C-alpha cells in the first residue's frame, strides 16, 4: 500500500470565506461563551466573552481598518504573543477584506522587514509597543504604510481604531466581508525554515473552511459546545490559528496563555477538556513528575508507575481489558500519582492533541495509561495544519493516523510523503518554489514516511536530513536522534556525516535538565555561539543512552563520536517557534566542533 485517501465529511460550497464561520456561529448561539479573557483581578481572573460580543469587536476593528485606508486584498501584519486581541485582529482583517500576515513575536527586525517587504504589508498590529515599533520600522523600510496599532491599551490601540471607523456603514462592511471568494488568499504564512530560508505559503479561504468543517466533523467527541481549551502555542503558527477557528465555529470556549510560567496555573483555573501541544510539552510533564517523585525519594516507585501506565495503555490500545494484577497496580498508582497529574492539568482533560513533531510511542502509551489519551497528528503550514490524525476512538501509538477527511497521502518511490486535499495550499509567493513543491498534482512534504498495513502514516524523518556518507550509505537519522532526545539532558540531537566515512552527532544540552542533574544552573551561552561542553562525568552519564540508540540501528547507521554542545535555546535564528532546531544553522555555527570530531 502506498496511497490512502479519506472522503470529505462536510461540504464547503455554501461558505464564501472564513468570515462565514463566525457569522453563522453568532446567528446560532450569540450568547454562548466563546472566549475566556484575563481580567487582572486575582479574585476573578477570567471573564467570559460571548460570540455576539466577539463579533461586535471584530466588526468595529474591521470598520476602523477600512477607514484607515485598507483596501480589499491588502496585507496586514499581526505580531504578538497569543492573546484575545490576536483573535480579534485576525478576524477583523478578514472582515475588512484583507490578507493576514502573521509574524512571530520572537522574530528579529530583519526577519520582520523581509516578511513585510515580500508580502506587501500596508498595516501592522502589534501586541505591545515593542512589536508595534518593529512593525513600523519593517513597513517603513519598503513603503508608506497606513499605520500600526497595538493590542495593549493606548492612544493607538484597537479600541481607538474601532472608534475611528464609526462612520463606516454596515453595508460597506458587508461588501468588504464578502469580497474575498473561496480561492482568494486568506493569509500568507512564512515557514519557520528548519532546513532553508522561510517561504511565504499562500493559504486560501477554502483551505481554512475545508479544514475547519471536516476536522470538526471528524472530532465531534473532542470539539463541542460543552468543551473548552487553552491555546498557548503561538497564533502566528497555522496549527494554533486552525485550532482557534475550529473551536470558534464549533462553540468550544477558548482562552489564551502566552506566558509559559502561567500555563500550569491556568490549567487548574480554566480546567480545559482539550489541549493542543507539541511533543516537548508532554516530555516536560513526564520529567516534572519524575523530578517530584525523586525529591520525595519515590524514584523507583515512579519508574514502576510509568511501566504500569505504559502496559495499561498498550493493552487498551489493542482493544483488550487489563488483567486483574495490572488493574490492581494501576488503581494503586492512580491514587498515588495519576490523579495528581490529572488534577495538575485541570482534572477535566479528555484528550490531548500532539503535533509539530514526532511523539515517542512510549510517551503516548504513558498518557493513555494516565487516562488522558494523546491524539497524534501530522501536518505542515502548506497543508493548513493537520493532514493526518489518529481518531479519538482509534489511536495507534507510533503513527500519526489516517489522512483526515478530504485529504489523501501517497508515498513516493523515494519514501517521501506526498499530499493533496482540502487543506493543501495554493502555492508560495515565489512561483519557482511552487514549481519545485509539486509533482503530478501532489504536494511534496519533504518528510519521509510509510503506511502501515491499515493505511496509517508512520513518520521516518525529513528528506533533507538524510545523510549520505563517503561510502555511499544513505542514513535516515530520525530514529537515532529520537532515542537520544528521550533524555531530559538532551534538547536536540543532530547526526552529521555527509561525505564522511562515519557518523557523528551533536547533542544539544537542555539547561533545565543539566541544572537538575548537576545541582547548579549552567552558564548562559552567548547568543549565536555553539560552545562545546567538556565534562567527563556528563559524557559518562550520557554514554549508555548513545549505546542504546546505536543498538537499535545497523552498524552503518551507528554514531561513532558525539560532541556535547550548549546553545541559546531562545535564539529565534536557531530554534523555531515550535521548538525544532534549524539544523543547517546549527551545523554552520558548529563547523569547528564537527571538524574536530573527524580528526
Amino acid at each position: 500500500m502506498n496511497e490512502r485517501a479519506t472522503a470529505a465529511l462536510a461540504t464547503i460550497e455554501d461558505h464564501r470565506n472564513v468570515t462565514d464561520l463566525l457569522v453563522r456561529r453568532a446567528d446560532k448561539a450569540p450568547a454562548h461563551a466563546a472566549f475566556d479573557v484575563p481580567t487582572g483581578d486575582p479574585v476573578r481572573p477570567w471573564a467570559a466573552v460571548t460570540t455576539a460580543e466577539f463579533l461586535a469587536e471584530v466588526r468595529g476593528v474591521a470598520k476602523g481598518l477600512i477607514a484607515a485606508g485598507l483596501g480589499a486584498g491588502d496585507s496586514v501584519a499581526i505580531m504578538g504573543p497569543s492573546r484575545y486581541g490576536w483573535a480579534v485582529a485576525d478576524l477583523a482583517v478578514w472582515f475588512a477584506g484583507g490578507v493576514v500576515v502573521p509574524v512571530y513575536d520572537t522574530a528579529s527586525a530583519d526577519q520582520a522587514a523581509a516578511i513585510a517587504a515580500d508580502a506587501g504589508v500596508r498595516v501592522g498590529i502589534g501586541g505591545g509597543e515593542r512589536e508595534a515599533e518593529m512593525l513600523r520600522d519593517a513597513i517603513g523600510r519598503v513603503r508608506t504604510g497606513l499605520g500600526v496599532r497595538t493590542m495593549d491599551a493606548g492612544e493607538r490601540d484597537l479600541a481607538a481604531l474601532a472608534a475611528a471607523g464609526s462612520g463606516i456603514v454596515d453595508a460597506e462592511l458587508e461588501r468588504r466581508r464578502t469580497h474575498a471568494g473561496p480561492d482568494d488568499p486568506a493569509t500568507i504564512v512564512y515557514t519557520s525554515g528548519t532546513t532553508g530560508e522561510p517561504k511565504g505559503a499562500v493559504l486560501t479561504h477554502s483551505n481554512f473552511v475545508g479544514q475547519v468543517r471536516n476536522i470538526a466533523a471528524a472530532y465531534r467527541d473532542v470539539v463541542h459546545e460543552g468543551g473548552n481549551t487553552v491555546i498557548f502555542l503561538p497564533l502566528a503558527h497555522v496549527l494554533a490559528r486552525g485550532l482557534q477557528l475550529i473551536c470558534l465555529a464549533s462553540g468550544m470556549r477558548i482562552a489564551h496563555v502566552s506566558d509559559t510560567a502561567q500555563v500550569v496555573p491556568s490549567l487548574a483555573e480554566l480546567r480545559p477538556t482539550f489541549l493542543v501541544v507539541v511533543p516537548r510539552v508532554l516530555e516536560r510533564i513526564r520529567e516534572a513528575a519524575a523530578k517530584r517523585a525523586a525529591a520525595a525519594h519515590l524514584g523507583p516507585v515512579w519508574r514502576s508507575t510509568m511501566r504500569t501506565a505504559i502496559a495499561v495503555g498498550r493493552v487498551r490500545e489493542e482493544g483488550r481489558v487489563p488483567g486483574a494484577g495490572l488493574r490492581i497496580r494501576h488503581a494503586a498508582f492512580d491514587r498515588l500519582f495519576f490523579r495528581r497529574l490529572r488534577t495538575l492539568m485541570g482534572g477535566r482533560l479528555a484528550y490531548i492533541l500532539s503535533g509539530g513533531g514526532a511523539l515517542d510511542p512510549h510517551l503516548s502509551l504513558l498518557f493513555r495509561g494516565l487516562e488522558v489519551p494523546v491524539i497524534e497528528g501530522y501536518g505542515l503550514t502548506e497543508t493548513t495544519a493537520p493532514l493526518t490524525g489518529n481518531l479519538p476512538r482509534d489511536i495507534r501509538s507510533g503513527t500519526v493516523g489516517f489522512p483526515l477527511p478530504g485529504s489523501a497521502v501517497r508515498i513516493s518511490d523515494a519514501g517521501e510523503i506526498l499530499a493533496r486535499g482540502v487543506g493543501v495550499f495554493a502555492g508560495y509567493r515565489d512561483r519557482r518554489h511552487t514549481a519545485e513543491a509539486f509533482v503530478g498534482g501532489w504536494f511534496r512534504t519533504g518528510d519521509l514516511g510509510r503506511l502501515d498495513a491499515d493505511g496509517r502514516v508512520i513518520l521516518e524523518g525529513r528528506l533533507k536530513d538524510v545523510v549520505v556518507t563517503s561510502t555511499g550509505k544513505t542514513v535516515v537519522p530520525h530514529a537515532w536522534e529520537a532515542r537520544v532526545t528521550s533524555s531530559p539532558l538532551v534538547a536536540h540531537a543532530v547526526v552529521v556525516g555527509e561525505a564522511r566515512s562515519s557518523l557523528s552527532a551533536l547533542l544539544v544540552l537542555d539547561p533545565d535538565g543539566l541544572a537538575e542533574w548537576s545541582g547548579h544552573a549552567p552558564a548562559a551561552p552567548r547568543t549565536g555561539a555553539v560552545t562545546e561542553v567538556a565534562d567527563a562525568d556528563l559524557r559518562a552519564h550520557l554514554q549508555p543512552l548513545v549505546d542504546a540508540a546505536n543498538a537499535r540501528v545497523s552498524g552503518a547507521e551507528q554514531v561513532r563520536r558525539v560532541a556535547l554542545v550548549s546553545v541559546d535555546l531562545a535564539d529565534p535564528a536557531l530554534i523555531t517557534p515550535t521548538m525544532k532546531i534549524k539544523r543547517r544553522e546549527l551545523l554552520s555555527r558548529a563547523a569547528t566542533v564537527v571538524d574536530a570530531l573527524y580528526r
Side-chain angles (χ1 to χ4, degrees):
M1 179 186 295
N2 70 342
E3 186 175 322
R4 177 71 183 239
T6 303
L9 292 177
T11 60
I12 62 174
E13 289 77 11
D14 57 341
H15 286 66
R16 181 164 178 78
N17 60 43
V18 176
T19 65
D20 284 343
L21 296 170
L22 174 56
V23 169
R24 295 186 185 199
R25 178 62 193 169
D27 286 343
K28 179 182 179 181
H32 188 80
F35 292 91
D36 285 311
V37 297
T39 64
D41 182 351
V43 177
R44 185 172 173 266
W46 298 90
V49 175
T50 68
T51 309
E53 290 169 338
F54 176 67
L55 175 59
E57 287 190 62
V58 166
R59 287 168 55 87
V61 173
K63 287 184 176 182
L65 289 169
I66 296 170
L70 186 75
D74 282 351
S75 295
V76 178
I78 304 178
M79 181 182 189
S82 296
R83 57 192 290 185
Y84 175 71
W86 218 113
V88 172
D90 198 16
L91 270 294
V93 173
W94 284 327
F95 266 68
V99 177
V100 178
V101 181
V103 182
Y104 286 104
D105 61 312
T106 55
S108 67
D110 287 344
Q111 288 171 329
I115 289 171
D118 187 71
V121 170
R122 300 296 309 283
V123 175
I125 299 175
E129 190 53 40
R130 184 189 73 85
E131 293 92 352
E133 184 58 37
M134 192 175 291
L135 289 177
R136 287 191 195 97
D137 177 67
I139 297 171
R141 290 190 194 187
V142 292
R143 60 176 41 81
T144 301
L146 299 173
V148 176
R149 301 286 177 155
T150 64
M151 301 173 204
D152 283 350
E155 292 183 5
R156 297 184 60 78
D157 62 10
L158 296 182
L161 179 61
S166 59
I168 301 296
V169 299
D170 289 346
E172 171 61 11
L173 177 61
E174 184 64 9
R175 187 182 70 80
R176 282 296 192 88
R177 183 186 78 80
T178 58
H179 172 81
D183 297 327
D184 287 322
T187 190
I188 304 170
V189 182
Y190 287 80
T191 61
S192 55
T194 57
T195 57
E197 288 302 312
K199 295 177 283 191
V202 181
L203 305 179
T204 66
H205 285 274
S206 65
N207 287 146
F208 275 113
V209 174
Q211 288 285 66
V212 168
R213 299 265 294 152
N214 280 283
I215 292 172
Y219 290 89
R220 296 189 191 280
D221 289 350
V222 178
V223 184
H224 51 80
E225 289 187 350
N228 67 303
T229 190
V230 180
I231 295 178
F232 46 85
L233 296 178
L235 282 171
H237 194 285
V238 72
L239 175 59
R241 286 174 77 203
L243 167 66
Q244 181 163 265
L245 285 172
I246 292 168
C247 292
L248 186 60
S250 303
M252 192 162 184
R253 205 164 73 250
I254 303 164
H256 303 91
V257 176
S258 59
D259 183 353
T260 55
Q262 296 303 313
V263 169
V264 173
S266 73
L267 298 182
E269 295 169 347
L270 294 164
R271 305 187 66 217
T273 61
F274 173 59
L275 287 177
V276 174
V277 302
V278 293
R280 189 58 178 153
V281 172
L282 300 180
E283 292 167 2
R284 288 190 178 277
I285 291 174
R286 178 182 60 187
E287 292 162 10
K291 179 180 177 181
R292 289 189 178 191
H297 306 290
L298 294 173
V301 178
W302 169 248
R303 287 190 287 273
S304 180
T305 300
M306 286 198 298
R307 288 194 295 269
T308 299
I310 290 170
V312 168
R314 182 174 288 110
V315 168
R316 289 177 175 169
E317 186 170 285
E318 293 171 353
R320 298 185 289 115
V321 177
L326 187 55
R327 288 200 307 271
I328 291 171
R329 292 200 307 276
H330 185 270
F333 289 139
D334 189 77
R335 290 191 295 272
L336 186 61
F337 284 114
F338 301 162
R339 289 179 187 175
R340 296 181 184 183
L341 277 174
R342 292 195 299 269
T343 299
L344 190 67
M345 294 183 286
R348 292 206 314 152
L349 265 184
Y351 295 99
I352 295 174
L353 172 67
S354 176
L359 180 68
D360 178 356
H362 287 94
L363 195 56
S364 175
L365 292 170
L366 170 65
F367 274 83
R368 184 158 189 163
L370 294 176
E371 314 288 350
V372 186
V374 177
I375 301 170
E376 190 174 4
Y378 160 72
L380 304 90
T381 296
E382 294 88 344
T383 61
T384 319
L387 171 66
T388 73
N390 282 286
L391 298 174
R393 301 181 189 277
D394 188 12
I395 297 173
R396 289 295 180 273
S397 301
T399 83
V400 290
F402 298 110
L404 292 172
S407 299
V409 298
R410 172 185 288 179
I411 307 301
S412 75
D413 292 341
E416 183 179 9
I417 300 171
L418 309 178
R420 67 182 181 189
V422 295
V424 175
F425 74 145
Y428 297 108
R429 290 272 297 167
D430 190 324
R431 293 182 179 179
R432 293 172 301 169
H433 293 152
T434 302
E436 296 168 357
F438 287 86
V439 55
W442 292 79
F443 169 61
R444 301 184 59 193
T445 66
D447 289 309
L448 295 170
R450 59 185 171 89
L451 302 182
D452 70 8
D454 296 318
R456 295 181 180 87
V457 176
I458 298 174
L459 300 178
E460 296 187 323
R462 289 285 295 169
L463 186 62
K464 290 185 178 179
D465 294 345
V466 168
V467 176
V468 181
T469 66
S470 61
T471 63
K473 176 65 178 178
T474 298
V475 177
V476 180
H478 171 74
W480 192 95
E481 293 169 348
R483 176 71 177 175
V484 173
T485 53
S486 65
S487 167
L489 287 169
V490 182
H492 304 279
V494 175
V495 171
V496 297
E498 185 71 26
R500 309 269 192 173
S501 60
S502 62
L503 300 178
S504 298
L506 300 178
L507 305 188
V508 180
L509 299 173
D510 184 299
D512 294 333
L514 192 58
E516 174 66 19
W517 177 78
S518 66
H520 59 83
R526 293 181 294 108
T527 298
V530 174
T531 304
E532 187 167 8
V533 177
D535 186 316
D537 291 337
L538 179 59
R539 178 175 287 276
H541 181 78
L542 290 174
Q543 188 59 48
L545 189 70
V546 173
D547 293 341
N550 279 338
R552 292 190 170 217
V553 297
S554 69
E557 296 172 309
Q558 292 178 357
V559 168
R560 306 301 180 188
R561 296 182 180 182
V562 299
L564 311 183
V565 299
S566 173
V567 303
D568 179 6
L569 293 178
D571 182 357
L574 184 63
I575 306 296
T576 75
T578 52
M579 295 188 280
K580 288 181 270 191
I581 196 154
K582 299 183 180 181
R583 303 170 73 98
R584 186 174 298 176
E585 179 66 20
L586 176 69
L587 295 180
S588 174
R589 296 183 185 185
T592 301
V593 177
V594 171
D595 286 343
L597 290 170
Y598 291 93
R599 287 177 189 156

